[in-house]
Amino acid sequence: MGDLGMIIPAGMLFAAFLLKLPALCRNRHDILLGAVCGLLLMASLVFLLAAVPTIAAINRVSGVPNLAAPVVYSVLTAFSGACLVLIIIWRGGTTERTRRASRLCVIVYGTVIVALNTLFVLGDASEERLRDFDTHYANTPFIREMIVLYLLAHTMAAVVTAALCWHWSRRVTGELRAGLVLIVIGYLLNLGFDGTKLVAVAARWADEDWDWLSTRAAPPLASLAAPLIGGGFVLPLVTQRLGIGWRTAVRYRRLGPLASRLNDAAGGGAPGVTIGPWASLELRLIRREAAIHDGIISLRPYFDGAVREEVLARALAQGHPPDEAEILADAAMIAAAGRAHEADPGRTSPTGDGSSVQPSTRADDLVRMSVALRTSPLVQEAARRATLSGA
């Protein structure tokens, strides 16, 4: 496999990191999002470091033949441990048991990284090998142990992470399950990478030359595994964010008729902070909901309980469920109050029994009232009658 086999996954993972970076900037205290971004960046770094030009550059700049080997092994081991820690936290939250398991992973994989570098210093790897370091030094004291240690640590992380994700995926649904399945597939490919590497090294111990398993068969498995694992971590977060954005957009749009009615009738409600043209949809929704509440307060002197009771009775007679009839009645009262305000602006005290009745201000009810203002013949008729009566 050429160097593109390393550069392309590195670029894909770094692109995924850049896509999530704005969300991390907006949510700096989101531990899970920060951990996922860190893993994407680390995975990209692993592939970048494992590319032959990078390996050669590290060796050349440092002046130490094969220094890139412990560097790549250390970063790959750190990435394996970090993935395992993230899965533990993602699955178990912040309980004391989760914290203990996470600390244990950090200690174990931190110890492995120290051991890898110690073994490299103790061994003799004076001949630079850019592509076949694992098999070339498979029989060299200390370097042999370093190679086996990093492969076993990587294998252990793959087995445990895949098992945890598979067990978890059987208990959840939707995007989370899809993400977990992607992670499982990615780690199964990683196990194939580790297996082929170990077989190639073991073949050297038996005086056989199966180096092609290490140099040609294993790297494509890693190149396929990394985007799957990264995608598995990102997918639930992306779909969750898209879902929130879609629901926010739908809610904002559906509140439009009610916001327009109250803004026209009550002069836009109480004054508030002006938002710029680049404000987020979430901020616009908050501002719209606040304006609706202010508008309802401004229209209180115009609320007519008789209008509400009449529409409620008619809605029930037409077969509407009681909760829906209540929504239609509240919407009709608001529509009639808006027309009354147009005919008699400046009223400060209610007439009749308007002071004893108020529309629901629950968030979901406001959306349903807004829809009713646009679609319900009962609500529209109440508004027309208020206009004709000059209320």
Side-chain angles (χ1 to χ4, degrees):
M1 181 182 63
D3 296 331
L4 285 178
M6 294 297 179
I7 300 300
I8 291 176
M12 292 173 61
L13 291 164
F14 188 68
F17 165 75
L18 292 179
L19 288 174
K20 297 305 298 176
L21 189 58
L24 180 61
C25 293
R26 292 193 300 267
N27 304 277
R28 294 183 178 87
H29 302 294
D30 190 327
I31 298 175
L32 180 59
L33 181 59
V36 170
C37 288
L39 282 179
L40 291 172
L41 186 59
M42 190 180 299
S44 176
L45 183 62
V46 168
F47 279 94
L48 181 62
L49 291 174
V52 171
T54 309
I55 292 174
I58 293 173
N59 296 338
R60 183 177 63 255
V61 171
S62 66
V64 179
N66 298 307
L67 180 64
V71 171
V72 174
Y73 293 171
S74 296
V75 175
L76 180 59
T77 301
F79 174 73
S80 301
C83 285
L84 187 53
V85 169
L86 178 56
I87 288 296
I88 293 172
I89 296 175
W90 194 8
R91 183 185 182 195
T94 57
T95 64
E96 183 58 32
R97 180 180 178 183
T98 298
R99 285 192 288 267
R100 285 198 303 269
S102 300
R103 284 195 295 268
L104 178 60
C105 287
V106 172
I107 292 171
V108 169
Y109 278 85
T111 302
V112 170
I113 292 172
V114 172
L116 290 173
N117 289 273
T118 301
L119 289 168
F120 179 78
V121 171
L122 294 175
D124 179 14
S126 56
E127 181 183 351
E128 184 180 50
R129 308 299 298 190
L130 298 179
R131 298 183 183 274
D132 61 346
F133 180 90
D134 295 340
T135 50
H136 182 80
Y137 287 104
N139 289 305
T140 303
F142 298 112
I143 303 298
R144 170 185 57 217
E145 285 75 16
M146 179 186 75
I147 294 167
V148 172
L149 179 59
Y150 108 82
L151 288 173
L152 290 180
H154 192 245
T155 300
M156 181 60 66
V159 170
V160 175
T161 305
L164 287 175
C165 290
W166 178 251
H167 181 69
W168 189 12
S169 70
R170 299 173 67 182
R171 295 160 48 193
V172 297
T173 59
E175 297 83 2
L176 178 56
R177 182 174 187 178
L180 291 170
V181 170
L182 285 177
I183 294 173
V184 170
I185 296 173
Y187 272 106
L188 290 177
L189 291 171
N190 265 346
L191 287 175
F193 168 87
D194 295 327
T196 53
K197 285 275 188 180
L198 284 169
V199 169
V201 169
R204 279 296 186 117
W205 297 342
D207 294 326
E208 298 288 344
D209 184 357
W210 292 2
D211 291 9
W212 64 272
L213 287 174
S214 177
T215 58
R216 293 199 297 272
L221 295 175
S223 298
L224 289 173
L228 289 173
I229 294 172
F233 282 117
V234 170
L235 178 63
L237 295 177
V238 170
T239 52
Q240 180 188 38
R241 183 64 185 171
L242 288 176
I244 293 173
W246 173 255
R247 289 191 294 272
T248 300
V250 170
R251 185 177 185 84
Y252 182 83
R253 180 178 59 82
R254 288 181 175 175
L255 284 172
L258 182 58
S260 177
R261 168 63 63 184
L262 292 172
N263 285 341
D264 292 343
V273 178
T274 302
I275 59 176
W278 301 108
S280 67
L281 188 58
E282 290 86 351
L283 180 58
R284 292 180 181 277
L285 176 61
I286 293 172
R287 180 68 185 109
R288 174 164 283 186
E289 289 177 335
I292 286 172
H293 284 281
D294 292 342
I296 289 175
I297 292 174
S298 298
L299 281 184
R300 280 179 179 175
Y302 299 90
F303 288 150
D304 188 345
V307 172
R308 187 183 188 282
E309 292 301 321
E310 179 185 355
V311 174
L312 177 62
R314 293 181 62 187
L316 291 172
Q318 292 179 7
H320 292 280
D323 63 327
E324 184 179 335
E326 294 279 351
I327 294 297
L328 294 175
D330 285 344
M333 185 173 66
I334 289 175
R339 297 297 173 86
H341 174 273
E342 293 173 1
D344 180 24
R347 187 185 301 175
T348 58
S349 59
T351 58
D353 60 352
S355 60
S356 64
V357 60
Q358 298 295 328
S360 172
T361 55
R362 291 174 50 193
D364 290 342
D365 289 347
L366 291 177
V367 173
R368 296 170 67 191
M369 279 187 271
S370 184
V371 174
L373 283 171
R374 180 173 55 85
T375 62
S376 172
L378 286 175
V379 174
Q380 294 167 1
E381 182 182 348
R384 286 195 298 269
R385 292 171 59 186
T387 301
L388 294 175
S389 64

